[in-house]
Structures are given as structure tokens and as C-alpha cells.
Amino acid sequence: MTKLFVRAVLASAAAAVLLAGCTTKEPGNATPASTSSAPSTGESSSSSGAATTSSLDPCSLLSASDLASYGTFGEPRKREAFGARSCGYLMKAQGASDSHLGVDVNVRDSQGIDTVNDSGKGTIPSQVNNRQAVVVPTGNTGCILAMAVGSASRVDISITSAADSTKACDTASQVAKIVEPKLPKG
């Protein structure tokens, strides 16, 4: 189980490095996102150049209870790495034969979906509730789904699992539907 956990953490870190991409500074003035804390209405949204992620807390976008249908998850792990503010959850294994699942929400303030890197299995244009997205299978057991928030930022759902990348991408799509309504509308 420990080797599986180490492999999953290393795979997640490798995927984050691959997707970090290169960025350039954009001229102009930064504008803050709306500070409204009104609950999401669950309405569909689309991305535009005006939306920003600078005030988003990645742990406010997903909770362990949101993931209850997959199993029991531990407390969120907050970190900053590879150009993203991240919040990750690891499923608690009940036994040695339990499958592993890691779910990370990565907020990238200065990287749009056009900077998502192909990890060798291609990039697949997609949409989540009418928001532009890109799906990237990573390795044999992972997947990242990047959702546009404006033209120059994005939120990634990163999945690592003991299953295959197809199942990981299905899980990323399901988790993205939970997260997307909480993203800034543009």
C-alpha cells in the first residue's frame, strides 16, 4: 500500500510539472474578482477574458463530503507548487486490496487552458457546463481536466488512481461538474 501511495504522489507531481507550462507576463492592470460570497446557483457558465482566479481558495471548491460517493477521504492538503495553489484529497484505504484515488484542485492564476501540456497521450478539447476545458490523460492511471477561467487562468482537476487513465478521466469529469459552478463567471 505504501508503494502504491508513493507512486500515486509521484505521478501527481509529475503531472503537475508537465502541465505547469511556460507563462509570460501580460501587460495591463490586474483586476480583482468579485468578492461576493453568495452561494452558487448551479447555473451554467462560460469563460471570458474578464474572469480571474486570484481570490479563489482551492479548498473552497471541493470538500471530502463532495467525494463521498468514491469513498472516505482524509483532510485536505494545501500546498503551492508548479505555478498553482492546490488542495488535494487522498482516499483512505480500508484494506490492502482497496483501490487508490487522489483528487487535487489546482488554481492557476496566470496559465490559461491554451498552456496545458500534452503528457504524451494527447489533449482533448472539452466543455464542463458550457465552460471551455481540456482533458489530458497522464501516464497509465491519471488524468487532468483543465477548465478555463477567463483567457489567462484556469482550474485543474487532477486525478490519480490505481485504475486506468480512462477511468481517471471519467472521475475528473464528474468532479469538474462539482467544481465548475463555484468558479467565477465571465
Side-chain angles (χ1 to χ4, degrees):
M1 186 65 185
T2 302
K3 286 183 182 181
L4 179 61
F5 174 75
V6 170
R7 278 190 233 147
V9 170
L10 290 175
S12 181
V17 168
L18 286 170
L19 292 179
C22 299
T23 62
T24 58
K25 285 194 169 193
E26 295 287 330
N29 296 322
T31 56
S34 169
T35 57
S36 170
S37 60
S40 172
T41 61
E43 293 176 14
S44 295
S45 64
S46 61
S47 62
S48 76
T52 180
T53 57
S54 62
S55 65
L56 282 180
D57 174 2
C59 287
S60 72
L61 301 173
L62 189 68
S63 69
S65 63
D66 291 329
L67 300 169
S69 65
Y70 299 101
T72 304
F73 287 79
E75 292 297 313
R77 303 173 330 270
K78 278 183 122 171
R79 64 189 179 286
E80 289 191 31
F82 310 110
R85 294 185 319 281
S86 299
C87 184
Y89 297 89
L90 284 176
M91 186 170 72
K92 293 181 180 180
Q94 302 300 317
S97 64
D98 285 352
S99 61
H100 164 76
L101 180 62
V103 179
D104 289 279
V105 176
N106 305 303
V107 177
R108 298 183 180 280
D109 298 323
S110 59
Q111 297 171 328
I113 63 170
D114 58 333
T115 64
V116 174
N117 291 325
D118 179 350
S119 67
K121 291 188 168 195
T123 60
I124 305 158
S126 185
Q127 286 193 351
V128 178
N129 298 335
N130 296 321
R131 184 183 297 269
Q132 290 183 344
V134 175
V135 177
V136 183
T138 58
N140 292 326
T141 62
C143 188
I144 295 176
L145 188 149
M147 294 179 285
V149 181
S151 60
S153 57
R154 71 180 198 243
V155 171
D156 298 346
I157 306 300
S158 176
I159 303 294
T160 55
S161 71
D164 59 54
S165 61
T166 300
K167 186 171 181 176
C169 287
D170 289 343
T171 302
S173 178
Q174 293 166 6
V175 172
K177 289 177 184 173
I178 296 168
V179 171
E180 190 282 332
K182 300 172 187 173
L183 299 180
K185 310 294 187 230

